[in-house]
Amino acid sequence: MINSIKLLIALLIATAFLGGCSASNAPEFNTWKSHQQLYQASNKLKIGDIIVTSKDWTSPLSWFGHSAIIVNKYKVGEYPQFCTGYYETDVILWLSKKKKFTVLRYKAFNKKFTTAFLKNISKTKHKQYKIVEKTDNSAFYCSQYIWYLYWKTAKDLGYDLDIDADGGYFVTPYDLLNSKYFDRVLFTL
């Protein structure tokens, strides 16, 4: 277990130094919301909305932020960490544990996309957490899972979609945050 953690840390550091992900070069997002604000607006969330949390420098696994996806009105789906595969939890409970976040919404999310998207969620939620190349569906990590859902859904509907802002080998939460395909959802409270 300790060797696996050391390997993960080395991989994350090497990836950042080699420019394989944009988390190291992405400017810190300046419109983070607190978890109390999302709690008040949680009933406005829609299937497919992506929640990206801010970076947390206290833990190597959080240096790149975290991302999860709204899978129904009340649930967040995610691949949170090693030794934990896909996990769904109540959106209010999940948000109450987060410090700062933002919400992204795909600009072209319509009924047809929703139907295909939900089918892909059911096909992909029985995998293990592992750092893999973004098109590899044998395992997932948080942002790669979300990237894969959008990529596969678009492919199923007959078009190409790469929501990774820098198009790299790996996809980070900040690659999603900086993607031109999403609107930042601002809630009026």
Side-chain angles (χ1 to χ4, degrees):
M1 180 65 138
I2 292 174
N3 287 338
S4 295
I5 293 171
K6 287 180 181 177
L7 180 61
L8 171 65
I9 292 169
L11 178 63
L12 291 173
I13 292 169
T15 302
F17 284 124
L18 294 174
C21 63
S22 68
S24 59
N25 4 348
E28 192 67 26
F29 190 60
N30 62 6
T31 57
W32 296 107
K33 304 291 182 197
S34 70
H35 70 273
Q36 292 89 354
Q37 291 171 303
L38 190 54
Y39 176 81
Q40 295 171 359
S42 62
N43 63 344
K44 297 177 184 175
L45 294 171
K46 297 180 179 181
I47 292 172
D49 283 356
I50 300 167
I51 302 171
V52 177
T53 64
S54 62
K55 298 175 187 177
D56 180 358
W57 299 108
T58 62
S59 167
L61 294 176
S62 301
W63 288 350
F64 299 96
H66 182 63
S67 55
I69 193 149
I70 301 298
V71 296
N72 69 42
K73 185 174 179 169
Y74 305 105
K75 298 282 185 186
V76 172
E78 66 181 326
Y79 276 84
Q81 62 192 7
F82 285 105
C83 302
T84 304
Y86 178 83
Y87 188 78
E88 284 184 10
T89 190
D90 177 84
V91 67
I92 301 302
L93 178 63
W94 191 87
L95 292 169
S96 70
K97 297 177 182 178
K98 304 303 173 192
K99 294 179 183 175
K100 293 182 180 179
F101 65 88
T102 194
V103 178
L104 306 174
R105 184 169 290 156
Y106 181 50
K107 296 175 182 181
F109 213 102
N110 56 30
K111 282 190 174 237
K112 190 175 179 181
F113 196 91
T114 301
T115 302
F117 189 81
L118 290 172
K119 285 180 186 175
N120 283 321
I121 287 175
S122 68
K123 292 177 187 175
T124 56
K125 63 183 185 178
H126 305 289
K127 309 286 181 158
Q128 290 300 310
Y129 183 105
K130 186 176 176 185
I131 306 294
V132 294
E133 193 270 329
K134 68 184 178 186
T135 58
D136 183 346
N137 70 347
S138 66
F140 294 108
Y141 58 93
C142 70
S143 48
Q144 181 251 350
Y145 174 64
I146 293 168
W147 180 89
Y148 185 85
L149 286 174
Y150 276 91
W151 177 78
K152 178 73 168 102
T153 300
K155 190 174 179 181
D156 292 348
L157 295 174
Y159 65 97
D160 291 326
L161 177 65
D162 185 353
I163 60 172
D164 179 356
D166 70 1
Y169 186 76
F170 297 104
V171 60
T172 68
Y174 278 59
D175 289 329
L176 302 175
L177 189 64
N178 293 316
S179 177
K180 65 183 178 182
Y181 295 101
F182 296 106
D183 289 324
R184 292 179 176 103
V185 179
L186 301 174
F187 297 108
T188 306
L189 303 174

